[in-house]
C-alpha cells in the first residue's frame, strides 16, 4: 500500500454505445483529504463516481483500495467496502418517514423484526451529533429539497463510510447549511475519512479541497494540490480555453413595463407581492433558501394556486389557472427541480425538446419532419453534448439536460421566461452558454426574464434589476448601480 493513499484509480475507461465516456482516467485519493473532481458537464465525472460506487463496471483499468486491487460489482459491495455516494439528483421514498429513509436497507432488528425503538433512538442520536432538528417520524415528502439533501449527507456520515463521494452536495442548500456541511466535512477529514467532492462552485473548491483533478472529454488533464491552481487556471483546464468574462451581460435600452404581478398572496407562503418586468429586462429574484421565491414562481406559472392576486400582460389581465393557460399567454418556466418537473428521462432528446409544443398544438397532427428539423437546430445551437437526437435524455449530464429543457421552451413563442436556478449543478462553460442564450433572448426577441438564483455573483452579473425576498415578502428592490452582495444580504435577512 502506498503510504497515505486510500484509493487509486488507474487507467479507468468506460464506453457506452457511440460514446467514450472515460478514456484512461487516473486519480489518487489520499487518506483524510478532500479531493475535488472538476470538469464540464459531460466530462465524465459522474460516470467515474458511479464506477467507484459499483453502479457501472469499468471496461478497462483498475481500482485499488488500501493498496489492494478490488472489483466493485454493486453499490451494496461498495457500501461493504466503506464507500458511500451522495447523488446530485436525490433518491428517496417520499411517503416513508425520515427515519425510514435514513436507515433504508439497514434497519436495526430484534428477533428478526424491525426495532422501531432502536431506529428512533439512533436517528435522534445522529441528528444530535450533527446539529439538525427534524422530527424523525415526519414523511420525507414534507421536507424541502435542501432538507432532503442534508439527510442524504447524514446517511453517509451515520454509517461510518471511509470514502464519501459528494456530487454537488451544496446545490440545494442554504448558506448556513453549507457552513454546517463544511464543518461536518472538516470533522470527517480529521477522523481520517477521504472525500471525493464534485462541485462547479469555485469558491467552495478553494475553501474545502486539498487536491484537485480536472477531467475533460473523459481524460485526466491535470492533477495536483489545491495551492497549485488559481481560479483562472482551473477554468482554463476545465474548458480548454480561457473565459475572460463569464457573465456576457449587455446593458441594453429597456422597453415599457409589459408584465406585472399585483398583490399576490398565498396564506403562509408569500404575501403582498408586487413586481414588474420591462421588455428586454432580466429581473433577478434573490433571497435565502425558504424565502418563498420558488413558491411564488410556481403560482405565477399556474402550477400552484394562490389565494389572491393578478397577472397583467401587455396591459391586460391574464387568466392563468393552469400551466397550459400560462403557456398560452406566453409565460414559461424552467424549474429548479429537473428530475421532478423538467425531464422525461426514458424518452429521447428530440421528444423532450418538442413535448411542450405538442401540448399547445393539441388535436393537430405531428409534423415529424418539422419537429426533427427544429429540434436538430436547437440541439446544435445549444451545443448539447450527445451523439444524436435519439439518445435517451436520462443518459445525459445535468448540464446537458438543462440545455434540452431550454431548447424545449425556445420552440414556444414566449413573452416572459421564469428561470428558477437555471445553472444549478452546471459547469462554468455551460453556465456561460446559458447566460449567452439569456442575453440573446432579451436582445433579439425582447422577452422578459425573471431569474431566481441563490448565487449572488450570478444575480449581480446578469440582472438589470433585483427584487429581494425574505419570509414570503419582497424586502428590497435594487437597480443595477446599487448591486452589492452586502446590500442583497441586508434585504434577504430583513423583516418583511
Amino acid at each position: 500500500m502506498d503510504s497515505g493513499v486510500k484509493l487509486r484509480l488507474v487507467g479507468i475507461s468506460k464506453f457506452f454505445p457511440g460514446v467514450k465516456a472515460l478514456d484512461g482516467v487516473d486519480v489518487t485519493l489520499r487518506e483524510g483529504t478532500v479531493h475535488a473532481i472538476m470538469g464540464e458537464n459531460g466530462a465524465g465525472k459522474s460516470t467515474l463516481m458511479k464506477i467507484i460506487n459499483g453502479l457501472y463496471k469499468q471496461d478497462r483499468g483498475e481500482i485499488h483500495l488500501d493498496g489492494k486491487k478490488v472489483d466493485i460489482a454493486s453499490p451494496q459491495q461498495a457500501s461493504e467496502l466503506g464507500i458511500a455516494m451522495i447523488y446530485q439528483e436525490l433518491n428517496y421514498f417520499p411517503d416513508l418517514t425520515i427515519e425510514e429513509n435514513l436507515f433504508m436497507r439497514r434497519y436495526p432488528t430484534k428477533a428478526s423484526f424491525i426495532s422501531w425503538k432502536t431506529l428512533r433512538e439512533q436517528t435522534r442520536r445522529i441528528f444530535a451529533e450533527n446539529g439538525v432538528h427534524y422530527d424523525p417520524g415526519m414523511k420525507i415528502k414534507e421536507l424541502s429539497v435542501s432538507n432532503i439533501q442534508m439527510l442524504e449527507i447524514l446517511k453517509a456520515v451515520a454509517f461510518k463510510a471511509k470514502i464519501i463521494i459528494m456530487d454537488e452536495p451544496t446545490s440545494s442548500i442554504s448558506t448556513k447549511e453549507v457552513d454546517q456541511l463544511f464543518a461536518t466535512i472538516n470533522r470527517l477529514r480529521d477522523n481520517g475519512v477521504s472525500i471525493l467532492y464534485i462541485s462547479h462552485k469555485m469558491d467552495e473548491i478553494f475553501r474545502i479541497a486539498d487536491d484537485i483533478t480536472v477531467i475533460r472529454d473523459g481524460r485526466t488533464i491535470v492533477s495536483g494540490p489545491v495551492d497549485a491552481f488559481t481560479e483562472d487556471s482551473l477554468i482554463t483546464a476545465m474548458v480548454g480555453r480561457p473565459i475572460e468574462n463569464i457573465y456576457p451581460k449587455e446593458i441594453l435600452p429597456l422597453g415599457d413595463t409589459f408584465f406585472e404581478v399585483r398583490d399576490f398572496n398565498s396564506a403562509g407562503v408569500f404575501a403582498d407581492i408586487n413586481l414588474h418586468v420591462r421588455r428586454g429586462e432580466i429581473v433577478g429574484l434573490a433571497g435565502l433558501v425558504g424565502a418563498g421565491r420558488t413558491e411564488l414562481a410556481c403560482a405565477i406559472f399556474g402550477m400552484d394556486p394562490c389565494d389572491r392576486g393578478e397577472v397583467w400582460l401587455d396591459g391586460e389581465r391574464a387568466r392563468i389557472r393552469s400551466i397550459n393557460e400560462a403557456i398560452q399567454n406566453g409565460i414559461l418556466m424552467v424549474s429548479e427541480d429537473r428530475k421532478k418537473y423538467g425531464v422525461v428521462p426514458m424518452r429521447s432528446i428530440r421528444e423532450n425538446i418538442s413535448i411542450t409544443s405538442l401540448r399547445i398544438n393539441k388535436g393537430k397532427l405531428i409534423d415529424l419532419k418539422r419537429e426533427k428539423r427544429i429540434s436538430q437546430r436547437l440541439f446544435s445551437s445549444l451545443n448539447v453534448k450527445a451523439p444524436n437526437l435519439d439518445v435517451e435524455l436520462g443518459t445525459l449530464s445535468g448540464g446537458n439536460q438543462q440545455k434540452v429543457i431550454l431548447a424545449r421552451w425556445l420552440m414556444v413563442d414566449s413573452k416572459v421566461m421564469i428561470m428558477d436556478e437555471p445553472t444549478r449543478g452546471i459547469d462554468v462553460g455551460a453556465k456561460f452558454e446559458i447566460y449567452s442564450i439569456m442575453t440573446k433572448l432579451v436582445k433579439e426577441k425582447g422577452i422578459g426574464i425573471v431569474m431566481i438564483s441563490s448565487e449572488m455573483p450570478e444575480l449581480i452579473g446578469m440582472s438589470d434589476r433585483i427584487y429581494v425576498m425574505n419570509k414570503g415578502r419582497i424586502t428590497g428592490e435594487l437597480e443595477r448601480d446599487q448591486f452589492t452582495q452586502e446590500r442583497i444580504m441586508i434585504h434577504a435577512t430583513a423583516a418583511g
Side-chain angles (χ1 to χ4, degrees), residues 99-152:
E99 59 193 2
E100 288 170 326
N101 273 276
L102 189 63
F103 282 85
M104 182 59 61
R105 296 191 301 274
R106 304 190 192 200
Y107 293 137
T109 59
K110 186 175 183 180
S112 299
F113 292 95
I114 295 174
S115 173
W116 296 105
K117 180 181 178 182
T118 303
L119 181 69
R120 180 64 55 88
E121 290 174 349
Q122 291 186 5
T123 301
R124 285 179 169 156
R125 175 182 55 78
I126 292 167
F127 287 176
E129 289 176 353
N130 291 278
V132 297
H133 307 284
Y134 305 124
D135 175 3
M138 180 188 298
K139 286 189 176 181
I140 204 163
K141 67 182 179 183
E142 298 175 36
L143 298 179
S144 66
V145 173
S146 62
N147 287 334
I148 295 170
Q149 183 100 28
M150 288 300 293
L151 284 174
E152 288 294 307

Side-chain angles (χ1 to χ4, degrees), residues 9-80:
L9 309 177
V10 182
I12 299 295
S13 297
K14 180 66 181 176
F15 308 97
F16 297 105
V19 180
K20 184 184 287 185
L22 296 171
D23 187 12
V25 172
D26 299 321
V27 176
T28 299
L29 174 64
R30 297 183 293 127
E31 188 170 4
T33 62
V34 177
H35 194 121
I37 306 296
M38 304 293 289
E40 293 187 276
N41 291 106
K45 305 183 302 297
S46 293
T47 298
L48 184 66
M49 298 304 104
K50 289 174 182 177
I51 287 172
I52 299 170
N53 195 45
L55 274 171
Y56 294 158
K57 173 67 178 174
Q58 72 269 24
D59 295 311
R60 290 203 301 261
E62 297 179 352
I63 300 174
H64 296 261
L65 184 63
D66 293 326
K68 299 178 181 178
K69 181 181 175 182
V70 295
D71 289 313
I72 305 174
S74 67
Q76 181 64 33
Q77 184 182 359
S79 179
E80 291 168 357

Side-chain angles (χ1 to χ4, degrees), residues 156-423:
V157 172
F159 296 110
K160 313 299 181 185
K162 290 301 180 183
I163 296 174
I164 300 178
I165 303 166
M166 296 185 176
D167 190 356
E168 296 287 350
T170 65
S171 61
S172 301
I173 62 179
S174 67
T175 302
K176 180 180 179 181
E177 289 166 328
V178 170
D179 291 339
Q180 291 174 345
L181 169 63
F182 283 2
T184 299
I185 288 175
N186 287 327
R187 186 168 67 248
L188 291 169
R189 178 165 45 191
D190 291 343
N191 290 331
V193 176
S194 303
I195 296 170
L196 287 165
Y197 193 95
I198 297 175
S199 177
H200 297 302
K201 299 179 180 179
M202 294 290 174
D203 58 331
E204 290 183 4
I205 296 304
F206 288 100
R207 178 179 170 188
I208 200 67
D210 299 295
D211 301 302
I212 298 175
T213 293
V214 177
I215 299 173
R216 188 171 75 238
D217 297 328
R219 296 185 176 94
T220 301
I221 300 301
V222 64
S223 189
V226 68
D227 292 344
F229 296 87
T230 64
E231 185 170 321
D232 287 343
S233 70
L234 185 53
I235 290 172
T236 299
M238 287 170 59
V239 303
R241 67 189 189 282
I243 296 181
E244 296 179 0
N245 180 16
I246 193 173
Y247 302 109
K249 169 68 178 167
E250 295 184 35
I251 307 303
L252 304 169
L254 301 176
D256 297 332
T257 295
F258 77 110
F259 175 72
E260 294 180 81
V261 173
R262 299 181 182 177
D263 196 30
F264 246 50
N265 286 265
S266 180
V269 182
F270 53 79
D272 303 325
I273 301 295
N274 290 277
L275 60 83
H276 68 275
V277 180
R278 291 168 288 187
R279 297 187 192 280
E281 185 178 31
I282 299 176
V283 175
L285 195 54
L288 303 177
V289 172
R293 297 168 300 165
T294 294
E295 292 80 0
L296 172 62
C298 289
I300 295 171
F301 189 54
M303 187 182 298
D304 293 340
C306 68
D307 301 325
R308 187 176 72 252
E310 299 176 354
V311 173
W312 284 70
L313 196 59
D314 293 326
E316 297 181 1
R317 183 177 177 182
R319 183 184 180 93
I320 300 174
R321 297 169 301 176
S322 67
I323 293 173
N324 217 28
E325 288 184 342
I327 295 172
Q328 289 170 352
N329 278 281
I331 301 172
L332 311 178
M333 179 174 170
V334 179
S335 172
E336 69 166 334
D337 194 337
R338 286 191 296 266
K339 184 176 180 181
K340 188 173 182 181
Y341 296 116
V343 303
V344 186
M346 302 302 291
R347 309 304 294 183
S348 69
I349 294 172
R350 174 180 53 78
E351 291 169 306
N352 271 274
I353 290 175
S354 64
I355 189 170
T356 303
S357 297
L358 300 181
R359 170 196 232 159
I360 65 173
N361 290 307
K362 186 176 180 181
K364 297 181 180 179
L365 293 176
I366 300 171
D367 186 340
L368 294 176
K369 288 184 179 179
R370 181 175 181 270
E371 176 197 28
K372 186 173 182 179
R373 184 176 67 254
I374 297 175
S375 297
Q376 182 64 55
R377 175 173 57 80
L378 291 168
F379 174 81
S380 300
S381 66
L382 295 183
N383 193 28
V384 179
K385 293 183 179 179
N388 54 62
L389 285 169
D390 296 321
V391 172
E392 286 185 2
L393 187 62
T395 64
L396 272 59
S397 67
N400 283 297
Q401 289 183 15
Q402 188 76 328
K403 290 181 189 178
V404 171
I405 294 169
L406 279 174
R408 174 191 302 166
W409 291 127
L410 293 177
M411 285 189 77
V412 181
D413 289 332
S414 62
K415 297 178 180 178
V416 179
M417 184 175 289
I418 302 169
M419 306 180 80
D420 191 356
E421 303 287 359
T423 65

Side-chain angles (χ1 to χ4, degrees), residues 409-464:
W409 291 127
L410 293 177
M411 285 189 77
V412 181
D413 289 332
S414 62
K415 297 178 180 178
V416 179
M417 184 175 289
I418 302 169
M419 306 180 80
D420 191 356
E421 303 287 359
T423 65
R424 182 173 76 87
I426 292 178
D427 65 79
V428 65
K431 282 184 177 182
F432 179 82
E433 292 174 349
I434 289 174
Y435 298 148
S436 297
I437 293 166
M438 293 169 63
T439 299
K440 186 175 181 179
L441 287 172
V442 297
K443 181 178 182 180
E444 297 182 4
K445 294 190 175 183
I447 75 168
I449 293 176
V450 177
M451 179 181 67
I452 300 171
S453 177
S454 298
E455 297 189 32
M456 283 193 281
E458 178 174 83
L459 285 167
I460 292 171
M462 288 303 298
S463 301
D464 295 293

